[in-house]
């Protein structure tokens, strides 16, 4: 019998160490017309679970955490009003960042795996800074000494012949930092799923490159990659779908 290779990105839960569990139930504002949980809703749950874990940990920290990269695999999309549990843990660290693995499981078979790289910044969000004091004590056992890199992997700019589509971000898309919220970018991928069933095992990766604001934007597409650019041409984020 052939054994499937281990996923190098979606590392398994630790045998010991902190695993935080966060409950979610997909509501009316979280699902597509076919009752499937939308990608931007899933990304928001992951973000909220991460914040809830940090608060619950009790680590004193006046810094800011921002997502640099996230890979998501929807083994089976959660459905409307399906009780879910998000189990999240630290799966690796670097000098100024940490990786967070999260498993979403539902009472009706919903199953999503995600791995996100979060960079730790100064309170004003301008510069990276070392992980907060006490981080290793709380999260070190789960990370098991695994070291992760923060280097981005997608092509930094679209090719000249990329297909361009107009886009726009609203004031309602901005978060407390006055930037387009990380989860909102997933609406770009969600638009491509409109009117079709993505099927089980849907996989996508996003990399965040620059903060974005409200206003006109555009999407450039070439092959499996998408680039989200502001009106000045700055690449804000990239997708691999």
């Amino acid at each position: 019998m052939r054994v499937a290779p281990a996923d190098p990105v979606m590392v398994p839960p630790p045998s010991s160490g902190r695993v935080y569990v966060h409950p979610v139930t997909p509501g009316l504002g979280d699902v597509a017309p076919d009752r499937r949980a939308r990608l931007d809703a899933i990304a928001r749950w992951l973000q909220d679970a991460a914040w809830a874990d940090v608060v619950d940990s009790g680590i004193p920290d006046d810094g800011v955490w921002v997502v640099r990269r996230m890979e998501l695999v929807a083994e089976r999309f959660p459905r409307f009003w399906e009780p879910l549990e998000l189990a999240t843990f630290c799966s690796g660290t670097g000098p100024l960042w940490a990786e967070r693995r999260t498993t979403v499981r539902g009472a009706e078979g919903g199953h999503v795996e995600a791995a996100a790289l979060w960079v730790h910044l100064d309170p004003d969000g301008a510069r990276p800074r070392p992980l907060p004091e006490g981080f290793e004590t709380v999260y070190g056992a789960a990370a098991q000494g695994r070291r992760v890199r923060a280097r981005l992997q997608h092509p930094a700019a679209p090719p000249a012949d990329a297909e361009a589509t107009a886009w726009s971000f609203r004031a309602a898309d901005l978060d407390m930092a006055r930037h387009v919220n990380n989860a909102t970018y997933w609406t770009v991928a969600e638009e491509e799923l409109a009117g079709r069933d993505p099927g089980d095992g849907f996989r996508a990766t996003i990399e965040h490159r620059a903060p974005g604001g409200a206003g006109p934007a555009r999407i450039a597409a070439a092959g499996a990659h998408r680039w989200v650019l502001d009106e000045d041409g700055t690449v804000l984020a990239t997708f691999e779908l």
Side-chain angles (χ1 to χ4, degrees), residues 7 10 15 22 46 90 96 99 113 126 134 136 139 156 191 196 201:
D7 190 320
M10 305 299 174
S15 56
H22 183 72
L46 297 170
C90 178
L96 309 170
E99 183 185 82
E113 299 286 351
E136 175 65 23
Y139 293 105
E191 278 295 298
R196 68 181 179 90

Side-chain angles (χ1 to χ4, degrees), residues 14 16-18 90-93 134-146:
S16 63
R18 180 182 175 88
C90 178
S91 52
T93 61
F135 188 93
E136 175 65 23
T137 300
V138 174
Y139 293 105
Q144 303 180 81
R146 182 170 176 263

Side-chain angles (χ1 to χ4, degrees), residues 6 67 95 103 105 132 137 146 148 153 174 187 195-196 228 236:
V67 176
T103 296
R105 289 196 182 274
T137 300
R146 182 170 176 263
V148 292
Q153 302 170 12
L174 306 185
T187 59
R196 68 181 179 90
V228 184
L236 307 177

